[in-house]
Amino acid sequence: MKAKELQDLIDFIAKSGLNKVNIETEEFKISVQREPSYKPVISSVAPTPAPAVAAAPTPAALPAAAAPAPTTPTPATPEAAPAAGSNYQSLKAPMIGTFYRSSSPEAPVFVQVGDLVEKGQVICIIEAMKLFNEIEAEQAGRVVKILVDNATPVEYDQPLFLIEPM
């Protein structure tokens, strides 16, 4: 891997908001991990892709208006309503990719319904552009519902889990 390619990869990871990335090919193996103190700065940078940012406010604005609600048949809208009406909070996908409940097909799932999770605990993986991104719990709580099937595509800001805060 050339220095320019490596720099481009590091820049991509920095802009994505990920804390840890492992990449392994036949030619090389690389692991990049960021210190947690940088997370607030990176999280403000993460939504920089223009299409994702432009798409994110639209679904949020549509549920507020009662008339256009039928134009958004995405699963994010129905799941957001129960979460707002109850004590549950949804953990949303920070990126577009493929959702996985475990690190490999043979490995046990990270969490099940009813499990208690701590803030920062890995609860799933989203694969994006051949990078496997560990998604961590944003708060401590109990997993109430898993909203996405294993190995299915997810969109930016799509609810993945309902968590009852503790």
Side-chain angles (χ1 to χ4, degrees):
M1 180 172 240
K2 296 179 182 176
K4 174 69 174 140
E5 292 172 327
L6 185 59
Q7 184 61 44
D8 290 343
L9 177 63
I10 291 171
D11 290 343
F12 170 77
I13 293 168
K15 290 178 184 177
S16 72
L18 304 173
N19 286 334
K20 185 177 180 182
V21 175
N22 295 317
I23 302 171
E24 186 173 344
T25 67
E26 294 176 0
E27 300 170 355
F28 66 91
K29 181 177 179 179
I30 185 170
S31 177
V32 179
Q33 185 167 357
R34 179 187 330 232
E35 290 186 31
S37 63
Y38 291 102
K39 190 169 185 173
V41 174
I42 298 304
S43 64
S44 66
V45 176
T48 54
V53 173
T58 306
L62 290 175
T71 61
T72 55
T74 61
T77 304
E79 297 301 338
S86 64
N87 191 27
Y88 305 146
Q89 294 185 350
S90 61
L91 178 97
K92 297 181 179 181
M95 65 190 70
I96 296 172
T98 304
F99 172 86
Y100 293 105
R101 293 189 58 202
S102 62
S103 58
S104 71
E106 304 83 31
V109 295
F110 290 110
V111 295
Q112 303 236 13
V113 172
D115 286 355
L116 295 176
V117 294
E118 296 178 11
K119 182 178 181 178
Q121 177 181 341
V122 176
I123 59 174
C124 68
I125 290 177
I126 295 181
E127 176 189 6
M129 296 175 58
K130 306 266 183 194
L131 296 175
F132 290 86
N133 308 290
E134 294 180 340
I135 308 303
E136 300 175 349
E138 297 171 350
Q139 72 219 3
R142 184 175 58 87
V143 177
V144 176
K145 188 171 184 179
I146 301 170
L147 304 171
V148 181
D149 292 329
N150 192 44
T152 58
V154 293
E155 295 292 324
Y156 172 77
D157 213 28
Q158 176 180 346
L160 304 174
F161 297 91
L162 285 182
I163 298 177
E164 181 178 28
M166 299 197 111

